[in-house]
Amino acid sequence: MKLFVYHTPERTPEDNLPDCAVVIDVLRATTTIATALNSGAEAVQAFSDIDILMEKSERWLPDKRLRAGERGGEKVPGFDLGNSPLDCVPQVVAGKRLFLTTTNGTRALQRVSQAPIVITAAQVNRQVVVNYLLDKQPETVWLVGSGWEGSYSLEDTACGGAIADLLIKQGKMSLEAIAGNDEVIGAFSLYSQWQDNLLPLFHKCSHGQRLLRLNCHEDLEYCAKTDILDVLPIQKEPGVLVK
Ligand code: MLT
């Protein structure tokens, strides 16, 4: 298995695809996706474009759908939910399809949607993602960070490092053997330095600061929890993730 870290959808190669793409948006899209599916949502369907989301969700039974999403971290006006994982409790999402649009995470998903296997990862479900990779042994794995509007996000890179770290430990591999690009070594090093202090790291990074300005303190605390959900979001058709 060779891992490749790409910090943003824009930096992800366009001329080929991996055997498995792992999309990461710790703050907060992939944390929300994992939480919604863990709480019994039927599926999460991701859109980068709000108009297309409206058009597709309109065809769904109203009591079986929730429109969720943000722009700039704030709830899209008129939607049922924003992008807080804490809203995705069973009483709200069970049995429903979440039609989700976010600033960056849904664009990252779209970027790799043609890969043969697409899964999503966050700190909350990192162990399950690693178990899946160790079990399936895809030859090439891309860890695709969502970043923020084309630029680097510390928290997505740290999660990429957290995945590499656990793969190395549980798969008994060396960093040199598994790293397909230098970004993997950078991500591993970042995680090694901050693994016991992820919440303080999230408080420093630019999107963490943005969310703190929006009073999302509890979201940061939740997103920093590691290996608490036993759920693997996997794409069943382009843009549609199920458990
Ligand atoms: C995104 O996709 O840009 C994020 O999930 C934004 C957010 O924190 O809601």
Side-chain angles (χ1 to χ4, degrees):
M1 188 190 311
K2 279 283 179 201
L3 284 188
F4 297 80
V5 165
Y6 296 108
H7 295 307
T8 63
E10 290 76 10
R11 288 196 195 178
T12 304
E14 291 190 56
D15 52 354
N16 63 346
L17 285 167
D19 297 313
C20 177
V22 182
V23 174
I24 304 172
D25 187 3
V26 175
L27 297 175
R28 296 165 290 175
T30 56
T31 305
T32 296
I33 291 168
T35 307
L37 292 174
N38 191 61
S39 294
E42 175 263 328
V44 178
Q45 189 160 358
F47 298 85
S48 55
D49 185 287
I50 295 180
D51 293 335
I52 302 176
L53 180 153
M54 291 306 290
E55 186 197 317
K56 298 266 189 211
S57 58
E58 209 49 52
R59 297 184 208 151
W60 213 257
L61 281 178
D63 63 337
K64 292 280 178 202
R65 73 170 182 229
L66 289 167
R67 293 179 177 131
E70 58 67 44
R71 283 296 175 272
E74 296 191 88
K75 183 180 164 200
V76 177
F79 274 29
D80 302 298
L81 302 173
N83 185 29
S84 172
L86 299 178
D87 288 341
C88 295
V89 292
Q91 305 90 286
V92 175
V93 303
K96 303 207 176 172
R97 177 167 294 208
L98 237 73
F99 290 84
L100 177 71
T101 179
T102 68
T103 313
N104 305 286
T106 50
R107 278 191 312 110
L109 270 166
Q110 206 168 36
R111 180 67 200 77
V112 290
S113 65
Q114 298 307 316
I117 303 170
V118 180
I119 59 178
T120 69
Q123 282 301 134
V124 290
N125 69 334
R126 178 213 39 178
Q127 175 75 65
V128 183
V129 168
V130 168
N131 291 348
Y132 178 83
L133 294 174
L134 287 174
D135 180 41
K136 300 287 174 208
Q137 291 288 332
E139 234 168 80
T140 50
V141 178
W142 290 3
L143 305 178
V144 179
S146 299
W148 185 267
E149 295 181 340
S151 54
Y152 174 87
S153 272
L154 212 51
E155 67 278 10
D156 294 341
T157 303
C159 183
I163 292 170
D165 179 69
L166 201 57
L167 273 173
I168 288 167
K169 285 189 183 127
Q170 295 191 341
K172 301 191 178 14
M173 293 173 268
S174 68
L175 179 58
E176 306 84 277
I178 205 171
N181 61 6
D182 282 0
E183 284 88 334
V184 175
I185 300 168
F188 177 85
S189 308
L190 179 71
Y191 178 70
S192 301
Q193 173 143 357
W194 288 93
Q195 57 185 317
D196 297 325
N197 290 297
L198 286 178
L199 184 57
L201 178 68
F202 291 1
H203 276 242
K204 290 186 199 309
C205 64
S206 57
H207 189 46
Q209 295 257 317
R210 184 178 295 106
L211 290 172
L212 289 175
R213 286 194 294 276
L214 295 168
N215 291 319
C216 298
H217 297 76
E218 289 177 4
D219 280 23
L220 291 199
E221 275 172 32
Y222 179 76
C223 293
K225 292 185 196 290
T226 300
D227 303 337
I228 57 163
L229 296 185
D230 190 16
V231 62
L232 182 79
I234 186 159
Q235 182 176 263
K236 77 163 185 185
E237 59 188 78
V240 180
L241 296 147
V242 294
K243 197 166 150 178

